[in-house]
Short mmCIF file of all heavy atoms in Angstrom, two decimals:
data_model
loop_
_atom_site.label_atom_id
_atom_site.label_comp_id
_atom_site.label_asym_id
_atom_site.label_seq_id
_atom_site.Cartn_x
_atom_site.Cartn_y
_atom_site.Cartn_z
N MET A 21 -3.03 5.30 -12.06
CA MET A 21 -2.85 3.94 -12.54
C MET A 21 -1.74 3.27 -11.76
O MET A 21 -0.62 3.80 -11.61
CB MET A 21 -2.50 3.99 -14.01
CG MET A 21 -2.19 2.69 -14.62
SD MET A 21 -3.71 1.87 -14.95
CE MET A 21 -3.19 0.67 -16.15
N PRO A 22 -1.99 2.11 -11.18
CA PRO A 22 -0.97 1.38 -10.38
C PRO A 22 0.27 1.08 -11.25
O PRO A 22 0.17 0.73 -12.38
CB PRO A 22 -1.67 0.08 -9.92
CG PRO A 22 -3.12 0.40 -10.05
CD PRO A 22 -3.26 1.39 -11.11
N LYS A 23 1.41 1.19 -10.64
CA LYS A 23 2.70 0.94 -11.34
C LYS A 23 3.43 -0.21 -10.76
O LYS A 23 4.56 -0.42 -11.07
CB LYS A 23 3.54 2.19 -11.29
CG LYS A 23 2.88 3.37 -11.97
CD LYS A 23 3.69 4.62 -11.83
CE LYS A 23 2.93 5.83 -12.37
NZ LYS A 23 3.60 7.04 -12.04
N TYR A 24 2.82 -0.94 -9.82
CA TYR A 24 3.51 -2.03 -9.14
C TYR A 24 3.95 -3.15 -10.09
O TYR A 24 4.84 -3.90 -9.76
CB TYR A 24 2.76 -2.63 -7.97
CG TYR A 24 1.42 -3.19 -8.32
CD1 TYR A 24 1.33 -4.56 -8.69
CD2 TYR A 24 0.27 -2.47 -8.26
CE1 TYR A 24 0.08 -5.10 -8.99
CE2 TYR A 24 -0.93 -3.00 -8.59
CZ TYR A 24 -1.02 -4.30 -8.96
OH TYR A 24 -2.23 -4.83 -9.28
N TYR A 25 3.38 -3.24 -11.26
CA TYR A 25 3.70 -4.28 -12.19
C TYR A 25 4.85 -3.87 -13.12
O TYR A 25 5.36 -4.64 -13.82
CB TYR A 25 2.49 -4.64 -13.06
CG TYR A 25 1.86 -3.40 -13.69
CD1 TYR A 25 2.35 -2.95 -14.92
CD2 TYR A 25 0.83 -2.78 -13.15
CE1 TYR A 25 1.80 -1.80 -15.50
CE2 TYR A 25 0.22 -1.65 -13.65
CZ TYR A 25 0.73 -1.19 -14.91
OH TYR A 25 0.17 -0.07 -15.46
N GLU A 26 5.29 -2.58 -13.09
CA GLU A 26 6.35 -2.07 -13.89
C GLU A 26 7.63 -2.32 -13.22
O GLU A 26 7.75 -2.61 -12.04
CB GLU A 26 6.14 -0.62 -14.22
CG GLU A 26 4.90 -0.37 -15.10
CD GLU A 26 4.69 1.11 -15.39
OE1 GLU A 26 5.52 1.93 -14.97
OE2 GLU A 26 3.66 1.42 -16.00
N ASP A 27 8.73 -2.13 -13.97
CA ASP A 27 10.06 -2.29 -13.39
C ASP A 27 10.30 -1.18 -12.34
O ASP A 27 10.16 -0.03 -12.55
CB ASP A 27 11.16 -2.15 -14.49
CG ASP A 27 11.12 -3.25 -15.46
OD1 ASP A 27 10.71 -4.41 -15.05
OD2 ASP A 27 11.45 -3.06 -16.63
N LYS A 28 10.59 -1.66 -11.14
CA LYS A 28 10.86 -0.79 -10.02
C LYS A 28 11.97 -1.36 -9.19
O LYS A 28 12.28 -2.56 -9.29
CB LYS A 28 9.61 -0.68 -9.07
CG LYS A 28 8.52 0.14 -9.59
CD LYS A 28 7.48 0.30 -8.45
CE LYS A 28 6.61 1.44 -8.77
NZ LYS A 28 5.72 1.79 -7.72
N GLU A 29 12.60 -0.55 -8.43
CA GLU A 29 13.56 -1.04 -7.43
C GLU A 29 12.88 -1.88 -6.42
O GLU A 29 11.85 -1.48 -5.88
CB GLU A 29 14.31 0.07 -6.79
CG GLU A 29 15.24 0.86 -7.75
CD GLU A 29 16.01 1.93 -6.99
OE1 GLU A 29 16.15 1.84 -5.76
OE2 GLU A 29 16.38 2.90 -7.64
N GLU A 30 13.41 -3.05 -6.12
CA GLU A 30 12.86 -3.89 -5.07
C GLU A 30 13.27 -3.31 -3.72
O GLU A 30 14.45 -3.05 -3.46
CB GLU A 30 13.36 -5.33 -5.23
CG GLU A 30 12.76 -6.01 -6.43
CD GLU A 30 11.22 -6.26 -6.28
OE1 GLU A 30 10.80 -6.56 -5.15
OE2 GLU A 30 10.57 -6.09 -7.27
N ASP A 31 12.30 -3.18 -2.84
CA ASP A 31 12.64 -2.71 -1.45
C ASP A 31 12.78 -3.86 -0.50
O ASP A 31 13.10 -3.66 0.65
CB ASP A 31 11.64 -1.70 -0.97
CG ASP A 31 10.24 -2.22 -0.73
OD1 ASP A 31 10.00 -3.39 -0.98
OD2 ASP A 31 9.37 -1.46 -0.32
N GLY A 32 12.52 -5.10 -0.99
CA GLY A 32 12.72 -6.24 -0.16
C GLY A 32 11.61 -6.57 0.82
O GLY A 32 11.65 -7.54 1.53
N ARG A 33 10.63 -5.69 0.92
CA ARG A 33 9.55 -5.90 1.81
C ARG A 33 8.35 -6.52 1.08
O ARG A 33 8.18 -6.34 -0.12
CB ARG A 33 9.12 -4.63 2.50
CG ARG A 33 10.15 -4.00 3.35
CD ARG A 33 9.69 -2.76 4.02
NE ARG A 33 9.61 -1.70 3.06
CZ ARG A 33 9.23 -0.46 3.34
NH1 ARG A 33 8.98 -0.12 4.57
NH2 ARG A 33 9.18 0.51 2.42
N ALA A 34 7.52 -7.26 1.85
CA ALA A 34 6.30 -7.84 1.29
C ALA A 34 5.42 -6.72 0.77
O ALA A 34 5.24 -5.67 1.39
CB ALA A 34 5.58 -8.66 2.29
N CYS A 35 4.87 -6.89 -0.45
CA CYS A 35 3.91 -5.95 -1.01
C CYS A 35 4.57 -4.60 -1.25
O CYS A 35 3.83 -3.54 -1.24
CB CYS A 35 2.67 -5.85 -0.16
SG CYS A 35 1.91 -7.40 0.28
N GLY A 36 5.81 -4.56 -1.46
CA GLY A 36 6.57 -3.27 -1.62
C GLY A 36 6.09 -2.44 -2.78
O GLY A 36 6.04 -1.23 -2.66
N GLY A 37 5.75 -3.08 -3.90
CA GLY A 37 5.26 -2.29 -5.04
C GLY A 37 4.00 -1.61 -4.81
O GLY A 37 3.83 -0.44 -5.17
N VAL A 38 3.05 -2.30 -4.19
CA VAL A 38 1.76 -1.70 -3.89
C VAL A 38 1.93 -0.61 -2.82
O VAL A 38 1.29 0.44 -2.89
CB VAL A 38 0.75 -2.79 -3.40
CG1 VAL A 38 -0.62 -2.18 -3.09
CG2 VAL A 38 0.57 -3.86 -4.48
N ARG A 39 2.79 -0.83 -1.86
CA ARG A 39 3.10 0.13 -0.84
C ARG A 39 3.60 1.40 -1.49
O ARG A 39 3.17 2.51 -1.13
CB ARG A 39 4.12 -0.41 0.14
CG ARG A 39 4.54 0.67 1.13
CD ARG A 39 5.59 0.08 2.09
NE ARG A 39 4.91 -0.97 2.79
CZ ARG A 39 5.51 -1.98 3.41
NH1 ARG A 39 6.81 -2.11 3.37
NH2 ARG A 39 4.81 -2.88 4.04
N GLU A 40 4.53 1.29 -2.43
CA GLU A 40 5.09 2.48 -3.11
C GLU A 40 3.98 3.22 -3.90
O GLU A 40 3.96 4.44 -3.93
CB GLU A 40 6.23 2.07 -4.01
CG GLU A 40 6.79 3.12 -4.83
CD GLU A 40 7.47 4.24 -4.03
OE1 GLU A 40 7.85 3.98 -2.87
OE2 GLU A 40 7.61 5.37 -4.53
N ASP A 41 3.13 2.43 -4.59
CA ASP A 41 2.04 3.08 -5.36
C ASP A 41 1.09 3.84 -4.41
O ASP A 41 0.63 4.92 -4.78
CB ASP A 41 1.27 2.01 -6.12
CG ASP A 41 2.06 1.53 -7.34
OD1 ASP A 41 3.04 2.20 -7.75
OD2 ASP A 41 1.71 0.49 -7.91
N LEU A 42 0.78 3.22 -3.29
CA LEU A 42 -0.06 3.90 -2.32
C LEU A 42 0.56 5.21 -1.79
O LEU A 42 -0.07 6.25 -1.75
CB LEU A 42 -0.40 2.97 -1.13
CG LEU A 42 -1.26 3.55 -0.04
CD1 LEU A 42 -2.59 4.04 -0.52
CD2 LEU A 42 -1.46 2.49 1.06
N ARG A 43 1.82 5.12 -1.53
CA ARG A 43 2.59 6.33 -1.05
C ARG A 43 2.56 7.39 -2.16
O ARG A 43 2.24 8.60 -1.80
CB ARG A 43 4.02 5.92 -0.76
CG ARG A 43 4.80 7.04 -0.10
CD ARG A 43 6.24 6.62 0.20
NE ARG A 43 7.05 6.52 -0.97
CZ ARG A 43 7.65 7.57 -1.54
NH1 ARG A 43 7.47 8.81 -1.07
NH2 ARG A 43 8.39 7.43 -2.61
N GLN A 44 2.81 7.07 -3.36
CA GLN A 44 2.84 8.02 -4.45
C GLN A 44 1.43 8.59 -4.69
O GLN A 44 1.30 9.81 -4.90
CB GLN A 44 3.34 7.41 -5.79
CG GLN A 44 4.83 7.33 -5.87
CD GLN A 44 5.49 8.66 -5.74
OE1 GLN A 44 6.26 8.87 -4.83
NE2 GLN A 44 5.24 9.58 -6.64
N CYS A 45 0.44 7.78 -4.66
CA CYS A 45 -0.93 8.24 -4.79
C CYS A 45 -1.26 9.29 -3.76
O CYS A 45 -1.83 10.36 -4.05
CB CYS A 45 -1.91 7.05 -4.71
SG CYS A 45 -3.67 7.52 -4.84
N LEU A 46 -0.88 9.05 -2.50
CA LEU A 46 -1.22 9.98 -1.40
C LEU A 46 -0.42 11.27 -1.60
O LEU A 46 -0.94 12.36 -1.46
CB LEU A 46 -0.90 9.34 -0.07
CG LEU A 46 -1.90 8.29 0.38
CD1 LEU A 46 -1.39 7.54 1.56
CD2 LEU A 46 -3.26 8.89 0.68
N LEU A 47 0.89 11.15 -1.95
CA LEU A 47 1.69 12.35 -2.06
C LEU A 47 1.29 13.20 -3.25
O LEU A 47 1.47 14.40 -3.23
CB LEU A 47 3.14 11.92 -2.23
CG LEU A 47 3.82 11.38 -1.00
CD1 LEU A 47 5.26 10.92 -1.30
CD2 LEU A 47 3.84 12.29 0.18
N GLU A 48 0.67 12.60 -4.26
CA GLU A 48 0.21 13.38 -5.43
C GLU A 48 -1.24 13.75 -5.37
O GLU A 48 -1.74 14.39 -6.28
CB GLU A 48 0.47 12.52 -6.72
CG GLU A 48 1.95 12.29 -6.97
CD GLU A 48 2.20 11.30 -8.07
OE1 GLU A 48 1.25 10.81 -8.67
OE2 GLU A 48 3.40 11.06 -8.39
N SER A 49 -1.92 13.40 -4.33
CA SER A 49 -3.36 13.72 -4.16
C SER A 49 -3.58 15.22 -3.88
O SER A 49 -2.73 15.87 -3.29
CB SER A 49 -3.97 12.88 -3.09
OG SER A 49 -3.55 13.34 -1.81
N PRO A 50 -4.72 15.78 -4.34
CA PRO A 50 -5.02 17.17 -4.04
C PRO A 50 -5.12 17.40 -2.52
O PRO A 50 -4.82 18.51 -2.10
CB PRO A 50 -6.40 17.34 -4.68
CG PRO A 50 -6.54 16.30 -5.66
CD PRO A 50 -5.68 15.13 -5.20
N CYS A 51 -5.42 16.41 -1.79
CA CYS A 51 -5.48 16.54 -0.31
C CYS A 51 -4.17 16.99 0.24
O CYS A 51 -4.09 17.85 1.10
CB CYS A 51 -5.96 15.20 0.24
SG CYS A 51 -6.11 15.18 2.03
N VAL A 52 -3.08 16.37 -0.21
CA VAL A 52 -1.76 16.68 0.25
C VAL A 52 -1.22 17.99 -0.43
O VAL A 52 -0.75 18.89 0.20
CB VAL A 52 -0.76 15.57 0.05
CG1 VAL A 52 0.67 15.97 0.31
CG2 VAL A 52 -1.14 14.33 0.88
N LEU A 53 -1.38 18.05 -1.77
CA LEU A 53 -0.78 19.16 -2.51
C LEU A 53 -1.52 20.45 -2.35
O LEU A 53 -0.86 21.50 -2.23
CB LEU A 53 -0.74 18.78 -4.00
CG LEU A 53 0.12 17.59 -4.38
CD1 LEU A 53 0.03 17.28 -5.84
CD2 LEU A 53 1.61 17.87 -4.01
N GLN A 54 -2.82 20.41 -2.30
CA GLN A 54 -3.56 21.66 -2.26
C GLN A 54 -4.06 22.07 -0.82
O GLN A 54 -4.09 23.21 -0.48
CB GLN A 54 -4.77 21.63 -3.20
CG GLN A 54 -4.32 21.51 -4.65
CD GLN A 54 -5.43 21.17 -5.58
OE1 GLN A 54 -6.61 20.99 -5.18
NE2 GLN A 54 -5.16 21.09 -6.84
N GLU A 55 -4.42 21.01 -0.07
CA GLU A 55 -4.96 21.29 1.25
C GLU A 55 -3.88 21.21 2.33
O GLU A 55 -4.19 21.46 3.49
CB GLU A 55 -6.11 20.26 1.54
CG GLU A 55 -7.26 20.39 0.60
CD GLU A 55 -8.31 19.33 0.81
OE1 GLU A 55 -8.41 18.82 1.90
OE2 GLU A 55 -9.03 19.03 -0.16
N ASN A 56 -2.67 20.84 1.94
CA ASN A 56 -1.51 20.73 2.90
C ASN A 56 -1.78 19.82 4.11
O ASN A 56 -1.27 20.13 5.17
CB ASN A 56 -1.07 22.14 3.35
CG ASN A 56 -0.55 22.97 2.17
OD1 ASN A 56 0.14 22.44 1.29
ND2 ASN A 56 -0.87 24.25 2.18
N LYS A 57 -2.46 18.80 3.88
CA LYS A 57 -2.71 17.79 4.96
C LYS A 57 -1.63 16.74 4.85
O LYS A 57 -1.01 16.54 3.83
CB LYS A 57 -4.09 17.17 4.81
CG LYS A 57 -5.26 18.13 5.03
CD LYS A 57 -6.56 17.48 4.93
CE LYS A 57 -7.71 18.41 5.10
NZ LYS A 57 -9.03 17.83 4.95
N SER A 58 -1.50 15.97 5.92
CA SER A 58 -0.48 14.90 5.90
C SER A 58 -1.09 13.73 5.12
O SER A 58 -2.29 13.56 5.04
CB SER A 58 -0.16 14.47 7.33
OG SER A 58 -1.25 13.76 7.92
N PRO A 59 -0.24 12.91 4.55
CA PRO A 59 -0.71 11.71 3.88
C PRO A 59 -1.56 10.82 4.76
O PRO A 59 -2.55 10.26 4.28
CB PRO A 59 0.57 10.99 3.41
CG PRO A 59 1.60 12.12 3.27
CD PRO A 59 1.23 13.07 4.38
N LYS A 60 -1.17 10.75 6.01
CA LYS A 60 -1.98 9.94 6.96
C LYS A 60 -3.40 10.50 7.07
O LYS A 60 -4.38 9.72 7.13
CB LYS A 60 -1.23 9.92 8.31
CG LYS A 60 -1.77 8.96 9.31
CD LYS A 60 -0.88 8.97 10.54
CE LYS A 60 -1.15 7.77 11.41
NZ LYS A 60 -0.24 7.69 12.55
N GLN A 61 -3.55 11.82 7.18
CA GLN A 61 -4.89 12.40 7.32
C GLN A 61 -5.65 12.14 6.01
O GLN A 61 -6.85 11.83 6.09
CB GLN A 61 -4.76 13.93 7.45
CG GLN A 61 -4.32 14.39 8.83
CD GLN A 61 -4.13 15.87 8.86
OE1 GLN A 61 -3.41 16.45 8.06
NE2 GLN A 61 -4.82 16.52 9.76
N CYS A 62 -4.99 12.24 4.86
CA CYS A 62 -5.70 12.01 3.63
C CYS A 62 -6.15 10.57 3.50
O CYS A 62 -7.24 10.26 2.92
CB CYS A 62 -4.81 12.41 2.42
SG CYS A 62 -4.45 14.19 2.39
N LEU A 63 -5.33 9.62 3.97
CA LEU A 63 -5.69 8.23 3.92
C LEU A 63 -6.91 7.99 4.76
O LEU A 63 -7.81 7.30 4.38
CB LEU A 63 -4.52 7.38 4.42
CG LEU A 63 -4.63 5.89 4.21
CD1 LEU A 63 -4.69 5.54 2.73
CD2 LEU A 63 -3.41 5.22 4.85
N ARG A 64 -6.98 8.61 5.90
CA ARG A 64 -8.13 8.44 6.86
C ARG A 64 -9.39 9.08 6.22
O ARG A 64 -10.50 8.63 6.54
CB ARG A 64 -7.87 9.16 8.17
CG ARG A 64 -6.93 8.40 9.01
CD ARG A 64 -6.70 9.02 10.38
NE ARG A 64 -5.74 8.30 11.17
CZ ARG A 64 -4.98 8.82 12.05
NH1 ARG A 64 -4.98 10.09 12.30
NH2 ARG A 64 -4.13 8.03 12.72
N GLU A 65 -9.25 10.07 5.35
CA GLU A 65 -10.36 10.73 4.75
C GLU A 65 -10.87 9.95 3.50
O GLU A 65 -11.82 10.30 2.84
CB GLU A 65 -10.04 12.15 4.35
CG GLU A 65 -9.83 13.03 5.54
CD GLU A 65 -9.38 14.47 5.12
OE1 GLU A 65 -9.35 14.76 3.91
OE2 GLU A 65 -9.11 15.25 6.04
N GLY A 66 -10.18 8.91 3.11
CA GLY A 66 -10.63 8.06 2.04
C GLY A 66 -9.96 8.21 0.69
O GLY A 66 -10.39 7.67 -0.29
N HIS A 67 -8.88 8.97 0.65
CA HIS A 67 -8.14 9.15 -0.59
C HIS A 67 -7.39 7.88 -0.91
O HIS A 67 -6.85 7.20 0.00
CB HIS A 67 -7.20 10.32 -0.51
CG HIS A 67 -7.90 11.63 -0.33
ND1 HIS A 67 -8.36 12.34 -1.46
CD2 HIS A 67 -8.34 12.30 0.77
CE1 HIS A 67 -8.99 13.43 -1.02
NE2 HIS A 67 -9.02 13.42 0.32
N CYS A 68 -7.23 7.53 -2.13
CA CYS A 68 -6.51 6.32 -2.61
C CYS A 68 -7.06 5.08 -2.02
O CYS A 68 -6.30 4.14 -1.69
CB CYS A 68 -5.04 6.51 -2.35
SG CYS A 68 -4.26 7.99 -3.04
N ARG A 69 -8.30 4.99 -1.83
CA ARG A 69 -8.97 3.83 -1.17
C ARG A 69 -8.68 2.51 -1.87
O ARG A 69 -8.46 1.48 -1.24
CB ARG A 69 -10.49 4.12 -1.02
CG ARG A 69 -11.22 3.00 -0.35
CD ARG A 69 -10.92 2.84 1.12
NE ARG A 69 -11.30 4.04 1.83
CZ ARG A 69 -10.93 4.26 3.11
NH1 ARG A 69 -10.23 3.41 3.75
NH2 ARG A 69 -11.26 5.39 3.68
N ASN A 70 -8.73 2.50 -3.20
CA ASN A 70 -8.48 1.19 -3.92
C ASN A 70 -7.11 0.66 -3.65
O ASN A 70 -6.99 -0.51 -3.43
CB ASN A 70 -8.70 1.40 -5.44
CG ASN A 70 -10.15 1.63 -5.75
OD1 ASN A 70 -11.02 1.20 -5.05
ND2 ASN A 70 -10.40 2.24 -6.91
N LEU A 71 -6.11 1.54 -3.70
CA LEU A 71 -4.76 1.06 -3.42
C LEU A 71 -4.58 0.63 -1.96
O LEU A 71 -3.85 -0.27 -1.62
CB LEU A 71 -3.73 2.14 -3.78
CG LEU A 71 -3.45 2.28 -5.25
CD1 LEU A 71 -2.56 3.49 -5.52
CD2 LEU A 71 -2.76 1.01 -5.78
N GLN A 72 -5.25 1.32 -1.04
CA GLN A 72 -5.20 0.93 0.37
C GLN A 72 -5.78 -0.47 0.55
O GLN A 72 -5.20 -1.27 1.26
CB GLN A 72 -5.97 1.94 1.22
CG GLN A 72 -5.96 1.64 2.69
CD GLN A 72 -6.78 2.59 3.54
OE1 GLN A 72 -7.74 3.17 2.99
NE2 GLN A 72 -6.49 2.68 4.78
N MET A 73 -6.87 -0.71 -0.09
CA MET A 73 -7.54 -2.05 0.06
C MET A 73 -6.66 -3.10 -0.58
O MET A 73 -6.51 -4.22 -0.02
CB MET A 73 -8.91 -2.04 -0.56
CG MET A 73 -9.89 -1.07 0.07
SD MET A 73 -10.12 -1.28 1.83
CE MET A 73 -11.01 -2.80 1.85
N THR A 74 -6.04 -2.80 -1.66
CA THR A 74 -5.15 -3.78 -2.35
C THR A 74 -3.96 -4.06 -1.47
O THR A 74 -3.54 -5.20 -1.31
CB THR A 74 -4.64 -3.19 -3.70
OG1 THR A 74 -5.82 -2.94 -4.54
CG2 THR A 74 -3.70 -4.15 -4.39
N PHE A 75 -3.38 -3.01 -0.83
CA PHE A 75 -2.26 -3.18 0.07
C PHE A 75 -2.60 -4.02 1.28
O PHE A 75 -1.88 -4.98 1.62
CB PHE A 75 -1.68 -1.85 0.48
CG PHE A 75 -0.57 -1.90 1.46
CD1 PHE A 75 0.67 -2.41 1.05
CD2 PHE A 75 -0.70 -1.48 2.77
CE1 PHE A 75 1.73 -2.53 1.97
CE2 PHE A 75 0.35 -1.51 3.66
CZ PHE A 75 1.56 -2.07 3.28
N PHE A 76 -3.75 -3.78 1.85
CA PHE A 76 -4.13 -4.54 3.02
C PHE A 76 -4.46 -6.01 2.65
O PHE A 76 -4.15 -6.91 3.42
CB PHE A 76 -5.31 -3.90 3.75
CG PHE A 76 -5.04 -2.68 4.47
CD1 PHE A 76 -5.93 -1.65 4.59
CD2 PHE A 76 -3.80 -2.51 5.09
CE1 PHE A 76 -5.63 -0.48 5.33
CE2 PHE A 76 -3.45 -1.37 5.79
CZ PHE A 76 -4.40 -0.33 5.91
N ALA A 77 -5.10 -6.18 1.46
CA ALA A 77 -5.30 -7.58 1.02
C ALA A 77 -4.00 -8.33 0.79
O ALA A 77 -3.85 -9.51 1.15
CB ALA A 77 -6.12 -7.56 -0.23
N CYS A 78 -2.99 -7.65 0.26
CA CYS A 78 -1.68 -8.29 0.07
C CYS A 78 -1.08 -8.66 1.39
O CYS A 78 -0.57 -9.74 1.57
CB CYS A 78 -0.80 -7.34 -0.70
SG CYS A 78 0.85 -7.94 -1.02
N LYS A 79 -1.11 -7.74 2.33
CA LYS A 79 -0.51 -8.01 3.63
C LYS A 79 -1.25 -9.14 4.38
O LYS A 79 -0.64 -9.97 5.00
CB LYS A 79 -0.53 -6.73 4.53
CG LYS A 79 0.34 -5.60 4.00
CD LYS A 79 1.79 -5.98 4.07
CE LYS A 79 2.30 -5.72 5.45
NZ LYS A 79 3.76 -5.90 5.56
N ARG A 80 -2.59 -9.12 4.25
CA ARG A 80 -3.39 -10.15 4.89
C ARG A 80 -3.05 -11.53 4.26
O ARG A 80 -2.97 -12.54 4.95
CB ARG A 80 -4.86 -9.83 4.72
CG ARG A 80 -5.76 -10.71 5.45
CD ARG A 80 -7.24 -10.29 5.48
NE ARG A 80 -7.70 -9.59 4.32
CZ ARG A 80 -7.98 -8.31 4.23
NH1 ARG A 80 -7.93 -7.57 5.33
NH2 ARG A 80 -8.40 -7.73 3.10
N SER A 81 -2.83 -11.55 2.97
CA SER A 81 -2.47 -12.82 2.32
C SER A 81 -1.11 -13.35 2.81
O SER A 81 -0.91 -14.55 2.93
CB SER A 81 -2.50 -12.73 0.82
OG SER A 81 -1.42 -11.96 0.35
N MET A 82 -0.21 -12.43 3.12
CA MET A 82 1.11 -12.83 3.64
C MET A 82 0.94 -13.47 5.02
O MET A 82 1.59 -14.42 5.37
CB MET A 82 2.07 -11.65 3.66
CG MET A 82 2.42 -11.09 2.32
SD MET A 82 3.16 -12.30 1.26
CE MET A 82 4.69 -12.60 2.07
N VAL A 83 0.10 -12.88 5.84
CA VAL A 83 -0.12 -13.38 7.22
C VAL A 83 -0.76 -14.79 7.10
O VAL A 83 -0.32 -15.74 7.81
CB VAL A 83 -1.06 -12.39 8.04
CG1 VAL A 83 -1.43 -13.09 9.32
CG2 VAL A 83 -0.23 -11.14 8.30
N SER A 84 -1.71 -14.95 6.25
CA SER A 84 -2.41 -16.22 6.09
C SER A 84 -1.42 -17.30 5.59
O SER A 84 -1.41 -18.43 6.07
CB SER A 84 -3.58 -16.11 5.12
OG SER A 84 -4.52 -15.21 5.60
N PHE A 85 -0.58 -16.90 4.64
CA PHE A 85 0.45 -17.81 4.08
C PHE A 85 1.41 -18.24 5.15
O PHE A 85 1.74 -19.45 5.26
CB PHE A 85 1.13 -17.13 2.94
CG PHE A 85 2.13 -18.00 2.21
CD1 PHE A 85 1.70 -19.03 1.41
CD2 PHE A 85 3.49 -17.79 2.34
CE1 PHE A 85 2.60 -19.86 0.75
CE2 PHE A 85 4.40 -18.61 1.71
CZ PHE A 85 3.92 -19.60 0.92
N CYS A 86 1.87 -17.35 6.02
CA CYS A 86 2.82 -17.69 7.04
C CYS A 86 2.17 -18.54 8.10
O CYS A 86 2.85 -19.42 8.66
CB CYS A 86 3.39 -16.41 7.66
SG CYS A 86 4.45 -15.48 6.55
N SER A 87 0.96 -18.31 8.42
CA SER A 87 0.25 -19.10 9.47
C SER A 87 0.10 -20.57 9.06
O SER A 87 0.12 -21.43 9.88
CB SER A 87 -1.06 -18.48 9.86
OG SER A 87 -1.94 -18.57 8.77
N ILE A 88 0.00 -20.80 7.74
CA ILE A 88 -0.08 -22.21 7.26
C ILE A 88 1.17 -22.93 7.61
O ILE A 88 1.14 -24.08 8.10
CB ILE A 88 -0.33 -22.21 5.75
CG1 ILE A 88 -1.74 -21.68 5.43
CG2 ILE A 88 -0.13 -23.59 5.16
CD1 ILE A 88 -2.01 -21.46 3.94
N PHE A 89 2.34 -22.31 7.35
CA PHE A 89 3.54 -22.96 7.64
C PHE A 89 3.87 -23.11 9.15
O PHE A 89 4.37 -24.13 9.56
CB PHE A 89 4.73 -22.24 6.96
CG PHE A 89 4.78 -22.50 5.49
CD1 PHE A 89 4.47 -21.49 4.62
CD2 PHE A 89 5.18 -23.75 4.97
CE1 PHE A 89 4.51 -21.77 3.25
CE2 PHE A 89 5.20 -24.01 3.66
CZ PHE A 89 4.85 -23.01 2.75
N SER A 90 3.49 -22.10 9.91
CA SER A 90 3.75 -22.25 11.34
C SER A 90 2.87 -23.30 12.02
O SER A 90 3.30 -23.97 12.90
CB SER A 90 3.54 -20.86 12.06
OG SER A 90 2.19 -20.47 11.95
N SER A 91 1.62 -23.43 11.54
CA SER A 91 0.77 -24.44 12.11
C SER A 91 1.16 -25.85 11.64
O SER A 91 1.04 -26.83 12.37
CB SER A 91 -0.66 -24.20 11.79
OG SER A 91 -0.93 -24.30 10.37
N ALA A 92 1.70 -25.98 10.44
CA ALA A 92 2.12 -27.28 9.89
C ALA A 92 3.43 -27.73 10.59
O ALA A 92 3.63 -28.95 10.75
CB ALA A 92 2.31 -27.18 8.42
N SER A 93 4.31 -26.84 10.95
CA SER A 93 5.53 -27.20 11.59
C SER A 93 5.34 -27.66 13.04
O SER A 93 6.19 -28.33 13.57
CB SER A 93 6.57 -26.05 11.53
OG SER A 93 6.08 -24.95 12.29
N GLY A 94 4.22 -27.32 13.62
CA GLY A 94 3.96 -27.71 14.97
C GLY A 94 3.43 -29.13 15.13
O GLY A 94 3.21 -29.62 16.21
N LEU A 95 3.24 -29.80 14.02
CA LEU A 95 2.65 -31.17 14.07
C LEU A 95 3.72 -32.15 14.50
O LEU A 95 4.80 -32.17 14.43
CB LEU A 95 2.14 -31.56 12.72
CG LEU A 95 0.91 -30.78 12.25
CD1 LEU A 95 0.55 -31.25 10.88
CD2 LEU A 95 -0.27 -31.09 13.17
#
């Protein structure tokens, strides 16, 4: 269950809560704990896919949001 909505320490980065949830999901996955694979390998194999998609959507929205301001300031 995602915990990004609960009280957490702020890391100051965009989408930090979702990033932390993705990290925890990977570290607690059977792929890492039982198969002794790296979190990166497990992510490539499709573990924690929902959180990965949420994280990328969050990051993509930040890029889109910033591009609006950069294009408006060039007028």
Side-chain angles (χ1 to χ4, degrees):
M21 176 78 161
K23 299 176 186 169
Y24 60 87
Y25 54 84
E26 294 179 4
D27 293 330
K28 284 189 163 186
E29 290 183 25
E30 289 293 321
D31 66 358
R33 296 183 287 184
C35 310
V38 179
R39 174 181 295 158
E40 176 64 23
D41 286 343
L42 178 58
R43 186 179 76 80
Q44 278 303 116
C45 178
L46 288 168
L47 292 176
E48 295 172 0
S49 71
C51 180
V52 171
L53 295 175
Q54 295 170 358
E55 298 175 25
N56 294 322
K57 295 181 181 178
S58 73
K60 192 173 193 176
Q61 286 176 304
C62 295
L63 191 62
R64 287 183 181 149
E65 292 177 6
H67 295 271
C68 305
R69 181 65 65 190
N70 289 336
L71 282 171
Q72 181 185 23
M73 298 305 288
T74 302
F75 178 66
F76 288 148
C78 179
K79 295 294 279 188
R80 188 171 31 250
S81 72
M82 296 301 294
V83 170
S84 298
F85 184 71
C86 291
S87 66
I88 290 170
F89 284 110
S90 65
S91 64
S93 64
L95 294 175

